[in-house]
Amino acid sequence: MEIDRRVPSFRDWISEADVASAVGIELGSLAHAARRLADKQDVVHSRTLIIRGKRRTVHTPHDEGVRQAHLALTGSMELPIATVLRRDTVAHGYIAGRSAYSNAKSHAGAFWVQQFDIKDFFPSISRRQLVLALIGAGMGESAAEFVASLTTRRGSLPLGFVPSPLLSNLVMTDVDIGLDAMARRHGLTVTRYADDITLSGPAEFDRAVDIDAIVQTSGFSLNSAKSKSGEAGGGVRVTGYLVSTGNPRLPQHVKRQTRQDLYSIQHIGVEGQARMRGRAPQSLVRRLLARLGALKQCEPLVYERWKRDYPRAFEVLDSTRASAVAARAARLASQERQLLSSPSPPAAYYIASHPAGG
């Protein structure tokens, strides 16, 4: 496969000054943010939330300098990291154009499904693992250490920091390569959505030993209590979707709740329904848009009927989505113009001898 020599990479990120130049923030300000993360206890707010049915500790910087540094870093790293991730069919979480739905669709219609959970996923990603992953992607050691100082806390990658999802996928590159090779050997389909690994196939199988070995080789471990397998027709859910037929389907209780949210937004607005649900309005809108997007793909007739029944609710949601999409597109376009303004060598993962670059 011919490699585009203008593909964005980290080859120019050699020193701390190069990082500051790439993200567009003064080096002194970035260094100050890194010191505050390392030294100040009150810079990060930690709380426990239930996310996708799992209890997680989420860390959110409330220091504006740290928050701005994270936003700028994420924007600057998205395209270089995407040059690796877009060529990988295993990872589905935190990648543009992929989702929990696309993850489930990979397994739709399979007979047998086996699922695994990586134990303490984000806390298990060490600062050292992150530095090595960044260096492997082409970044200089000094720059990689500096980026790690801005994106890790107490030696690990925190759930809740804006760059964490993007960086977690980069760290997991070798795991994904191993999963893909194993699945191909045994005629199976494999995907990973953050810490959830799913295998499926046309007959019963058990690849628990293989998965455990792949994960452990990269410094992670499985949560054995959450490993499970069974026939897809028995109600198995993959990242929230039923996969017993050729298209993923939302469970009935999810559709009931989604319809209730639409009904309430139609009559009392987003803010009123968010208060009823005990959620932030932005969180409620994000969840509804994700569910409606999946519904439009897997049950388009139901989606169209609801759109006719609750036009005001859809208008509010569409307006919110359009604003978010426009802001993101403008930011990515600006970053792309900057990154592609001059030719640069491809990322290290793009060499022909590397499994991810084939």
Side-chain angles (χ1 to χ4, degrees), residues 52-301:
R52 295 189 359 255
K54 301 175 184 178
R55 187 176 296 274
R56 316 247 190 201
T57 301
V58 179
H59 309 276
T60 307
H62 53 72
D63 178 277
E64 184 61 19
V66 173
R67 194 180 73 84
Q68 290 295 332
H70 283 175
L71 289 171
L73 270 169
T74 302
S76 299
M77 292 188 296
E78 278 180 321
L79 281 168
I81 291 178
T83 63
V84 177
L85 301 181
R86 286 174 184 163
R87 302 182 70 176
D88 170 31
T89 61
V90 174
H92 283 258
Y94 318 127
I95 298 176
R98 303 183 194 177
S99 62
Y101 177 80
S102 69
N103 183 75
K105 188 171 178 61
S106 300
H107 305 282
F111 170 75
W112 192 261
V113 177
Q114 191 167 26
Q115 297 172 293
F116 304 89
D117 179 87
I118 299 175
K119 186 176 181 181
D120 299 327
F121 180 56
F122 281 96
S124 293
I125 298 176
S126 69
R127 175 170 172 157
R128 185 59 182 161
Q129 284 175 304
L130 175 58
V131 168
L132 291 175
L134 290 168
I135 293 172
M139 190 178 291
E141 183 175 356
S142 180
E145 291 282 1
F146 188 48
V147 170
S149 73
L150 286 159
T151 55
T152 60
R153 181 159 172 84
R154 296 175 182 170
S156 66
L157 195 65
L159 174 61
F161 280 19
V162 173
S164 291
L166 188 69
L167 294 172
S168 72
N169 274 337
L170 185 63
V171 171
M172 292 294 288
T173 299
D174 286 337
V175 170
D176 292 342
I177 291 169
L179 292 173
D180 184 59
M182 182 275 299
R184 289 175 185 274
R185 283 197 305 272
H186 298 285
L188 303 173
T189 297
V190 63
T191 61
R192 180 183 61 81
Y193 190 93
D195 54 353
D196 293 327
I197 297 170
T198 305
L199 282 168
S200 65
E204 185 174 342
F205 62 86
D206 182 5
R207 301 259 64 93
V209 173
D210 295 331
I211 298 292
D212 189 55
I214 292 167
V215 167
Q216 286 200 34
T217 298
S218 292
F220 298 94
S221 61
L222 295 177
N223 186 339
S224 57
K226 295 184 178 180
S227 297
K228 52 189 176 183
S229 59
E231 294 183 24
V236 170
R237 280 193 267 173
V238 176
T239 46
Y241 297 88
L242 301 170
V243 294
S244 56
T245 61
N247 252 344
R249 293 176 292 117
L250 289 174
Q252 285 299 322
H253 77 276
V254 173
K255 288 194 287 188
R256 283 195 299 270
Q257 187 181 70
T258 302
R259 186 175 183 179
Q260 178 59 52
D261 284 336
L262 290 171
Y263 176 88
S264 297
I265 290 173
Q266 178 83 8
H267 292 89
I268 64 175
V270 169
E271 289 76 12
Q273 180 61 3
R275 284 194 297 272
M276 293 282 289
R277 292 286 189 203
R279 303 175 69 102
Q282 299 93 330
S283 173
L284 178 65
V285 168
R286 282 196 300 268
R287 184 186 66 172
L288 273 174
L289 287 173
R291 288 180 173 179
L292 289 170
L295 189 71
K296 186 176 183 180
Q297 291 178 295
C298 61
E299 297 185 61
L301 294 180

